[in-house]
Amino acid sequence: MESKPSSLFIFAEEPVRIVVCESPEQVAKAAAQESIEYLGLACSGSGQKVEPIVLGLATGSTPLGLYEQWIERYRAGEISFRNAVSFNLDEYCGVAPDDVRSYHYFMQENLFKHVDFLPQNTHIPKTDCSDLPASAEAYEIAINQAGGIDLQILGIGTEGHIGFNELGSSLSSATRVKTLTAKTRQDNARFFESLEHVPRMAITMGLGTIMNARAILLLATGLHKAQTIRDTVEGPVTAMVPASILQFHPNATILLDQAAASKLAHLDYYLDSERNQRSL
Ligand code: F6R
Protein backbone atom coordinates (compact mmCIF):
# COMPACT_ATOMS: atom_id res chain seq x y z
CA MET A 1 0.00 0.00 0.00
CA GLU A 2 2.98 2.31 0.44
CA SER A 3 3.06 5.12 -2.04
CA LYS A 4 6.04 7.43 -1.89
CA PRO A 5 5.12 10.80 -3.34
CA SER A 6 7.34 12.00 -6.15
CA SER A 7 6.69 15.69 -6.01
CA LEU A 8 3.81 17.31 -4.18
CA PHE A 9 1.82 20.17 -5.57
CA ILE A 10 2.69 19.45 -9.20
CA PHE A 11 -0.80 18.57 -10.27
CA ALA A 12 -4.32 18.76 -9.05
CA GLU A 13 -6.23 15.93 -10.68
CA GLU A 14 -8.39 15.89 -7.59
CA PRO A 15 -9.27 18.83 -5.37
CA VAL A 16 -7.53 17.05 -2.51
CA ARG A 17 -4.57 14.85 -3.32
CA ILE A 18 -4.26 11.81 -1.06
CA VAL A 19 -0.86 10.24 -0.44
CA VAL A 20 -0.58 7.19 1.81
CA CYS A 21 2.69 6.17 3.50
CA GLU A 22 3.43 2.98 5.38
CA SER A 23 4.05 4.52 8.81
CA PRO A 24 4.06 7.84 10.69
CA GLU A 25 7.85 7.93 10.19
CA GLN A 26 7.37 7.70 6.43
CA VAL A 27 4.76 10.48 6.60
CA ALA A 28 7.31 12.72 8.36
CA LYS A 29 10.05 11.90 5.85
CA ALA A 30 7.80 12.46 2.84
CA ALA A 31 6.51 15.75 4.29
CA ALA A 32 10.07 16.94 4.94
CA GLN A 33 11.34 15.99 1.50
CA GLU A 34 8.44 17.51 -0.37
CA SER A 35 8.34 20.73 1.65
CA ILE A 36 12.11 21.18 1.22
CA GLU A 37 11.82 20.76 -2.54
CA TYR A 38 8.70 22.87 -2.90
CA LEU A 39 10.02 25.75 -0.80
CA GLY A 40 13.60 25.58 -2.07
CA LEU A 41 15.00 25.26 1.47
CA ALA A 42 18.07 23.33 0.29
CA CYS A 43 21.40 25.13 0.61
CA SER A 44 23.02 25.28 -2.80
CA GLY A 45 26.34 26.63 -4.05
CA SER A 46 24.66 29.79 -5.28
CA GLY A 47 22.79 30.33 -2.01
CA GLN A 48 19.08 30.04 -1.35
CA LYS A 49 16.30 31.57 -3.34
CA VAL A 50 16.36 35.33 -2.88
CA GLU A 51 12.58 35.56 -2.47
CA PRO A 52 11.54 35.12 1.17
CA ILE A 53 9.59 31.93 1.80
CA VAL A 54 6.44 32.17 3.94
CA LEU A 55 5.63 29.05 5.91
CA GLY A 56 2.47 28.38 7.92
CA LEU A 57 3.27 26.13 10.89
CA ALA A 58 1.24 23.94 13.25
CA THR A 59 1.76 22.60 16.76
CA GLY A 60 0.41 19.37 18.31
CA SER A 61 1.85 15.86 18.12
CA THR A 62 1.47 15.28 14.38
CA PRO A 63 4.07 17.68 12.92
CA LEU A 64 6.78 16.69 15.45
CA GLY A 65 8.23 14.05 13.10
CA LEU A 66 8.41 16.60 10.28
CA TYR A 67 10.17 19.11 12.54
CA GLU A 68 12.68 16.41 13.60
CA GLN A 69 13.38 15.71 9.94
CA TRP A 70 13.92 19.40 9.19
CA ILE A 71 16.26 19.69 12.21
CA GLU A 72 18.25 16.64 11.09
CA ARG A 73 18.59 17.97 7.55
CA TYR A 74 19.58 21.42 8.89
CA ARG A 75 22.27 19.87 11.13
CA ALA A 76 23.57 17.94 8.15
CA GLY A 77 24.05 21.31 6.40
CA GLU A 78 21.47 20.48 3.75
CA ILE A 79 18.81 23.12 4.41
CA SER A 80 18.41 26.58 5.89
CA PHE A 81 15.50 28.67 7.19
CA ARG A 82 17.49 31.93 7.01
CA ASN A 83 15.26 33.11 4.21
CA ALA A 84 12.00 31.87 5.72
CA VAL A 85 9.23 33.75 7.51
CA SER A 86 6.81 31.71 9.60
CA PHE A 87 3.28 32.19 10.89
CA ASN A 88 1.86 29.69 13.36
CA LEU A 89 -1.79 28.75 13.18
CA ASP A 90 -2.81 29.49 16.74
CA GLU A 91 -2.10 30.24 20.40
CA TYR A 92 -4.08 29.69 23.60
CA CYS A 93 -5.53 32.69 25.41
CA GLY A 94 -4.51 33.01 29.03
CA VAL A 95 -1.21 31.14 28.66
CA ALA A 96 1.93 33.32 28.74
CA PRO A 97 4.47 32.89 25.91
CA ASP A 98 7.12 31.56 28.33
CA ASP A 99 4.69 29.03 29.86
CA VAL A 100 5.73 25.48 28.94
CA ARG A 101 2.19 24.78 27.71
CA SER A 102 2.11 27.72 25.29
CA TYR A 103 2.56 27.23 21.57
CA HIS A 104 5.32 29.87 21.72
CA TYR A 105 7.25 27.52 24.00
CA PHE A 106 6.35 24.47 21.91
CA MET A 107 7.74 26.02 18.72
CA GLN A 108 10.87 27.26 20.46
CA GLU A 109 11.60 23.82 21.93
CA ASN A 110 10.60 21.68 18.98
CA LEU A 111 11.86 23.73 16.05
CA PHE A 112 13.07 27.30 16.32
CA LYS A 113 15.95 26.86 18.77
CA HIS A 114 17.40 24.03 16.67
CA VAL A 115 17.48 25.75 13.28
CA ASP A 116 18.38 29.14 11.82
CA PHE A 117 15.08 31.02 11.55
CA LEU A 118 15.73 34.70 12.30
CA PRO A 119 13.73 35.33 15.52
CA GLN A 120 12.11 38.45 14.06
CA ASN A 121 10.77 36.32 11.18
CA THR A 122 8.78 33.88 13.33
CA HIS A 123 5.21 34.82 14.24
CA ILE A 124 2.69 33.28 16.64
CA PRO A 125 -0.60 34.97 17.60
CA LYS A 126 -0.09 37.30 20.57
CA THR A 127 -2.50 36.50 23.39
CA ASP A 128 -0.69 38.19 26.30
CA CYS A 129 -2.44 41.49 25.59
CA SER A 130 -5.57 43.32 26.72
CA ASP A 131 -7.24 43.54 23.29
CA LEU A 132 -7.45 40.02 21.87
CA PRO A 133 -9.66 40.85 18.84
CA ALA A 134 -7.24 43.64 17.83
CA SER A 135 -4.33 41.23 18.19
CA ALA A 136 -6.08 38.71 15.92
CA GLU A 137 -6.79 41.39 13.33
CA ALA A 138 -3.17 42.56 13.40
CA TYR A 139 -2.02 38.96 12.81
CA GLU A 140 -4.15 38.63 9.67
CA ILE A 141 -2.75 41.93 8.39
CA ALA A 142 0.83 40.77 9.11
CA ILE A 143 0.28 37.59 7.06
CA ASN A 144 -0.99 39.64 4.14
CA GLN A 145 1.86 42.13 4.44
CA ALA A 146 4.32 39.24 4.26
CA GLY A 147 2.80 38.35 0.88
CA GLY A 148 0.59 35.48 2.07
CA ILE A 149 1.54 31.93 2.97
CA ASP A 150 3.41 29.79 0.42
CA LEU A 151 2.93 26.48 2.21
CA GLN A 152 0.65 25.83 5.18
CA ILE A 153 1.38 22.76 7.31
CA LEU A 154 -1.73 21.41 9.06
CA GLY A 155 -2.70 18.71 11.53
CA ILE A 156 -6.36 17.85 12.09
CA GLY A 157 -8.41 17.57 15.27
CA THR A 158 -10.61 14.53 15.91
CA GLU A 159 -13.72 16.65 15.21
CA GLY A 160 -12.22 17.97 11.98
CA HIS A 161 -10.79 21.28 13.15
CA ILE A 162 -7.78 22.83 11.40
CA GLY A 163 -6.05 25.47 13.46
CA PHE A 164 -8.62 26.02 16.19
CA ASN A 165 -11.46 26.44 13.68
CA GLU A 166 -13.96 24.41 15.62
CA LEU A 167 -17.18 23.01 14.20
CA GLY A 168 -19.50 25.76 13.09
CA SER A 169 -16.63 28.03 12.04
CA SER A 170 -17.39 30.34 9.16
CA LEU A 171 -15.88 28.78 6.05
CA SER A 172 -14.42 32.16 5.11
CA SER A 173 -13.28 33.25 8.57
CA ALA A 174 -10.18 35.35 9.22
CA THR A 175 -7.84 35.21 12.23
CA ARG A 176 -9.97 35.68 15.34
CA VAL A 177 -10.65 34.63 18.92
CA LYS A 178 -12.35 31.24 19.07
CA THR A 179 -13.92 29.22 21.89
CA LEU A 180 -12.60 25.64 22.08
CA THR A 181 -15.04 22.72 22.06
CA ALA A 182 -15.23 20.28 24.98
CA LYS A 183 -13.71 17.60 22.71
CA THR A 184 -10.70 19.75 21.77
CA ARG A 185 -10.13 20.62 25.42
CA GLN A 186 -10.30 16.92 26.31
CA ASP A 187 -7.92 15.96 23.48
CA ASN A 188 -5.41 18.59 24.62
CA ALA A 189 -5.76 17.92 28.35
CA ARG A 190 -2.71 15.62 28.09
CA PHE A 191 -0.52 18.76 27.94
CA PHE A 192 -2.05 20.26 31.13
CA GLU A 193 -2.32 19.26 34.80
CA SER A 194 -6.02 18.55 34.35
CA LEU A 195 -8.97 19.30 32.07
CA GLU A 196 -9.82 22.31 34.23
CA HIS A 197 -6.46 23.90 33.35
CA VAL A 198 -7.00 23.69 29.57
CA PRO A 199 -7.72 27.18 28.18
CA ARG A 200 -11.22 27.87 26.90
CA MET A 201 -10.24 30.22 24.07
CA ALA A 202 -7.50 30.71 21.51
CA ILE A 203 -6.55 33.04 18.69
CA THR A 204 -6.54 31.07 15.46
CA MET A 205 -6.03 31.76 11.78
CA GLY A 206 -9.43 31.45 10.12
CA LEU A 207 -10.53 28.98 7.46
CA GLY A 208 -10.36 31.84 4.95
CA THR A 209 -6.79 32.60 6.07
CA ILE A 210 -5.80 28.95 5.60
CA MET A 211 -7.54 28.73 2.23
CA ASN A 212 -5.51 31.73 1.02
CA ALA A 213 -2.28 29.71 1.37
CA ARG A 214 -0.85 28.88 -2.04
CA ALA A 215 -0.32 25.23 -1.07
CA ILE A 216 -1.49 23.13 1.86
CA LEU A 217 0.01 20.00 3.37
CA LEU A 218 -2.18 18.29 5.95
CA LEU A 219 -0.66 15.41 7.93
CA ALA A 220 -2.68 12.81 9.84
CA THR A 221 -1.62 9.57 11.46
CA GLY A 222 -3.35 6.94 13.59
CA LEU A 223 -6.66 5.14 13.63
CA HIS A 224 -8.24 7.84 15.82
CA LYS A 225 -8.04 10.22 12.82
CA ALA A 226 -9.47 7.76 10.25
CA GLN A 227 -13.15 8.77 10.47
CA THR A 228 -12.28 12.47 10.51
CA ILE A 229 -10.20 12.01 7.36
CA ARG A 230 -13.07 10.21 5.69
CA ASP A 231 -15.50 13.00 6.63
CA THR A 232 -13.00 15.63 5.44
CA VAL A 233 -12.31 14.07 2.06
CA GLU A 234 -15.48 12.15 1.19
CA GLY A 235 -18.20 13.92 3.14
CA PRO A 236 -20.01 17.11 2.21
CA VAL A 237 -18.25 20.45 2.62
CA THR A 238 -19.70 21.71 5.87
CA ALA A 239 -18.79 23.96 8.76
CA MET A 240 -19.55 20.90 10.94
CA VAL A 241 -16.29 19.38 9.60
CA PRO A 242 -14.21 22.53 9.11
CA ALA A 243 -11.34 20.70 7.32
CA SER A 244 -13.79 19.70 4.56
CA ILE A 245 -13.33 23.24 3.14
CA LEU A 246 -10.02 21.90 1.77
CA GLN A 247 -12.05 20.20 -0.96
CA PHE A 248 -12.24 23.69 -2.48
CA HIS A 249 -8.49 24.31 -2.34
CA PRO A 250 -6.72 24.00 -5.70
CA ASN A 251 -3.46 22.74 -4.22
CA ALA A 252 -4.03 20.70 -1.06
CA THR A 253 -2.28 17.44 -0.28
CA ILE A 254 -3.20 15.11 2.58
CA LEU A 255 -0.38 12.82 3.71
CA LEU A 256 -1.63 9.85 5.72
CA ASP A 257 -0.30 6.72 7.32
CA GLN A 258 -2.18 3.50 6.61
CA ALA A 259 -4.21 3.72 9.83
CA ALA A 260 -5.50 7.24 9.14
CA ALA A 261 -6.35 6.22 5.54
CA SER A 262 -8.12 3.03 6.57
CA LYS A 263 -11.71 4.35 6.47
CA LEU A 264 -11.52 6.03 3.07
CA ALA A 265 -14.20 4.41 0.89
CA HIS A 266 -12.32 5.17 -2.35
CA LEU A 267 -8.78 4.50 -1.17
CA ASP A 268 -7.96 2.16 -4.07
CA TYR A 269 -8.92 4.85 -6.51
CA TYR A 270 -6.73 7.47 -4.79
CA LEU A 271 -3.75 5.08 -4.85
CA ASP A 272 -4.38 4.34 -8.51
CA SER A 273 -4.64 8.03 -9.33
CA GLU A 274 -1.37 8.71 -7.49
CA ARG A 275 0.43 5.95 -9.40
CA ASN A 276 -0.85 7.27 -12.71
CA GLN A 277 0.20 10.83 -11.94
CA ARG A 278 3.70 9.70 -11.03
CA SER A 279 4.01 7.89 -14.34
CA LEU A 280 3.26 11.03 -16.39
C1 F6R B 1 -2.16 23.01 16.20
C2 F6R B 1 -3.50 23.04 15.65
C3 F6R B 1 -4.45 21.88 15.75
C4 F6R B 1 -3.79 20.51 15.68
C5 F6R B 1 -4.82 19.41 15.86
C6 F6R B 1 -4.20 18.02 15.86
O1 F6R B 1 -1.49 24.22 15.98
O2 F6R B 1 -3.86 24.03 15.13
O3 F6R B 1 -5.40 22.01 14.72
O4 F6R B 1 -3.14 20.37 14.45
O5 F6R B 1 -5.53 19.60 17.05
O6 F6R B 1 -3.40 17.87 16.98
P1 F6R B 1 -2.49 16.58 17.15
O7 F6R B 1 -1.45 16.65 16.07
O8 F6R B 1 -1.87 16.74 18.52
O9 F6R B 1 -3.37 15.41 17.02
Side-chain angles (χ1 to χ4, degrees):
M1 191 191 284
E2 182 182 10
S3 158
K4 188 179 172 303
S6 50
S7 178
L8 295 181
F9 322 117
I10 53 165
F11 69 91
E13 180 185 316
E14 303 304 330
V16 177
R17 179 183 173 194
I18 305 292
V19 178
V20 184
C21 299
E22 217 161 55
S23 62
E25 294 69 33
Q26 291 302 323
V27 168
K29 280 194 179 146
Q33 183 55 32
E34 300 307 322
S35 55
I36 287 167
E37 278 177 23
Y38 178 70
L39 294 169
L41 293 172
C43 304
S44 68
S46 54
Q48 282 188 270
K49 276 187 188 167
V50 184
E51 290 276 297
I53 295 154
V54 185
L55 249 175
L57 297 175
T59 59
S61 307
T62 312
L64 285 175
L66 164 63
Y67 297 163
E68 279 165 21
Q69 287 292 318
W70 279 348
I71 293 165
E72 214 173 278
R73 306 272 300 259
Y74 167 74
R75 287 187 178 143
E78 293 173 23
I79 63 169
S80 169
F81 294 90
R82 202 96 195 137
N83 197 32
V85 175
S86 73
F87 287 90
N88 263 78
L89 283 164
D90 40 24
E91 178 60 286
Y92 291 120
C93 299
V95 178
D98 58 352
D99 187 308
V100 295
R101 299 154 311 175
S102 73
Y103 286 166
H104 280 77
Y105 189 89
F106 176 101
M107 289 308 299
Q108 204 52 39
E109 286 304 300
N110 292 300
L111 183 62
F112 296 151
K113 78 176 190 189
H114 305 286
V115 296
D116 63 345
F117 271 105
L118 298 175
Q120 66 271 25
N121 286 348
T122 64
H123 304 86
I124 301 179
K126 231 175 115 44
T127 56
D128 57 335
C129 55
S130 54
D131 191 342
L132 291 168
S135 172
E137 208 181 319
Y139 198 72
E140 185 80 19
I141 291 169
I143 294 171
N144 290 331
Q145 281 174 345
I149 291 170
D150 291 311
L151 174 64
Q152 176 66 56
I153 305 292
L154 295 175
I156 186 167
T158 49
E159 285 186 321
H161 73 206
I162 47 179
F164 275 135
N165 292 286
E166 304 289 43
L167 42 87
S169 287
S170 155
L171 296 176
S172 60
S173 45
T175 305
R176 67 211 184 291
V177 182
K178 200 65 196 142
T179 296
L180 306 182
T181 63
K183 183 72 168 75
T184 294
R185 292 185 62 246
Q186 248 166 37
D187 286 349
N188 291 359
R190 66 190 191 280
F191 300 112
F192 293 82
E193 296 89 307
S194 72
L195 185 57
E196 260 319 288
H197 288 86
V198 183
R200 290 173 187 279
M201 291 195 295
I203 288 184
T204 180
M205 280 186 201
L207 293 173
T209 322
I210 293 170
M211 288 294 285
N212 284 338
R214 286 179 271 281
I216 289 178
L217 182 54
L218 186 150
L219 313 179
T221 58
L223 199 53
H224 64 302
K225 298 285 174 77
Q227 186 61 44
T228 319
I229 290 298
R230 178 171 179 166
D231 294 343
T232 296
V233 176
E234 296 178 339
V237 174
T238 166
M240 288 298 118
V241 183
S244 64
I245 187 68
L246 297 181
Q247 292 179 32
F248 281 128
H249 198 282
N251 204 355
T253 296
I254 300 191
L255 259 175
L256 303 170
D257 70 349
Q258 292 188 0
S262 61
K263 292 195 177 164
L264 287 168
H266 302 288
L267 180 58
D268 288 346
Y269 173 69
Y270 308 138
L271 297 177
D272 194 28
S273 156
E274 182 64 19
R275 269 191 299 271
N276 287 337
Q277 288 295 337
R278 280 189 284 127
S279 71
L280 291 180

